[in-house]
Amino acid sequence: MKKSLVSITDFTKEEMLRIMDFAAEFEADPCQRILLGKVIATLFFEPSTRTRLSFESAINRLGGRVIGFSDTNNTSVTKGETFHDTITTIANYSDMIVMRHSLEGAARYASEIAKVPVVNAGDGANQHPSQTLLDMYSIKKTQGTLDGINIMMVGDLKYGRTVHSLLQAMSHFKTTFTFVAPPELRMPDEYKQQLYDLGIPYTETTDIGEHINEADIVYMTRVQRERFLDLMEYEKVKNAYILKNAMLADTKPNMRILHPLPRVNEIDTDVDDNPKAYYFNQTENGVYVRMAIISYLLGVKK
Amino acid sequence: MDTKKQMNVRAIENGTVIDHIPADCLFKIINILDLEKETGQVTFGTNFESKRMGKKAIIKIADRYCADEEVNRISIVAPMACVNTIRNYQVVEKRTVKAPEEVEGFVKCGNPRCITNHERIRTRFEVQRQGNAITGLRCHFCEKVTTPENIVIVK
């Protein structure tokens, strides 16, 4: 049975933990050439340099070979080929497809027509599960556990796909959440309902300083100007969600700051040298986690 | 039987009568059942008084009998609907509609960024409900929820 990873909810808690274990093994010994002889297609219908290079680095470290494209300009997509035909064809050339697409649901559809496993590297505003797993790995690595962590999520909690997926994934681990967002960008009710149904406590506030000293993880996201209907509102709140070094004085010693990147100005550069800033280490973790995901789905790692 | 009331829509000899349709959903039901292409007699009306619903719509289709699968499609917009099979002017069977677990192929995803609105893909939704009321249709592909008031029927 081929297994794909399209949405974070495709993995059980046990599978997530297994990815964490595999990633730790790859971090300890990054030179395991268990993908020798395998060809993996990285299809970026929408460009994303960071995610593509992270996947390709993971494949190369495992000894696999990469085919694919980083934008659709030189492909038959511009000749009007349907997505269906592109995927069906490339599935015949490769052992796995890693793909990003601007349309939501594209990866799920691909996983149903391709005869090889599909890894979703982002479908519009919907899902980006490898990001979630690398966020979890970063939490586990810095906190020593995934259980009972206090996570403060800051910024755009309405549209940010990374916060929604992380919330769903961490709901398996008795997490407590604090949501810090302007009223326009609050966590949608459907996610709060999910927490409520699971009996998971959460706090909502508009003030970044109110609960920061209780947090184990501060997960920052960008507040984008284009999300606001009323630009006066944006002007009012834009500086309220910027993390500055001075705010970290009384935070817990184990606290770490995560960010899915790219950052614009929501974390002041004066935070970068603080040992609690972890967002650049996060990107390195991404390679180990992607090695783990690929080798798990292909069944090459025992 | 109670006293004979005047019929708002003419009786049919054989066929199907769909009753207790919300008054504003008549045309959606016509669409779901593809009645535009029906060659037999179809009579319908809306804004009739109803004790149960305030106002309701009715559809009568002569010489056509609806399978359970068709009947259950109606539930997406008319969960209270009642489907009566008529033979020789008599109601021989009364069915209430049941919301299916999944709906496939006739509802458009409300998310304009969903792949199903850009490629020829048969749509598929998981039906979300609270008690008997349908609260939304969750797209199998983009995972977004289309709420009942935004349901558009595609053919």
Side-chain angles (χ1 to χ4, degrees), chain B residues 47-101:
Chain B
N47 294 328
F48 296 126
E49 267 175 44
S50 159
K51 274 193 208 126
R52 233 165 77 191
M53 335 178 40
K55 282 182 168 183
K56 68 171 183 181
I58 276 189
I59 301 175
K60 299 191 178 189
I61 315 161
D63 304 316
R64 174 164 159 187
Y65 304 97
C66 295
D68 279 346
E69 191 257 344
E70 271 183 294
V71 165
N72 288 339
R73 286 178 163 201
I74 298 172
S75 70
I76 302 302
V77 289
M80 310 266 283
C82 180
V83 179
N84 302 311
T85 305
I86 312 287
R87 290 190 203 271
N88 198 20
Y89 296 107
Q90 299 295 312
V91 177
V92 295
E93 187 193 22
K94 244 180 187 328
R95 281 178 289 174
T96 50
V97 298
K98 268 198 257 1
E101 301 281 312

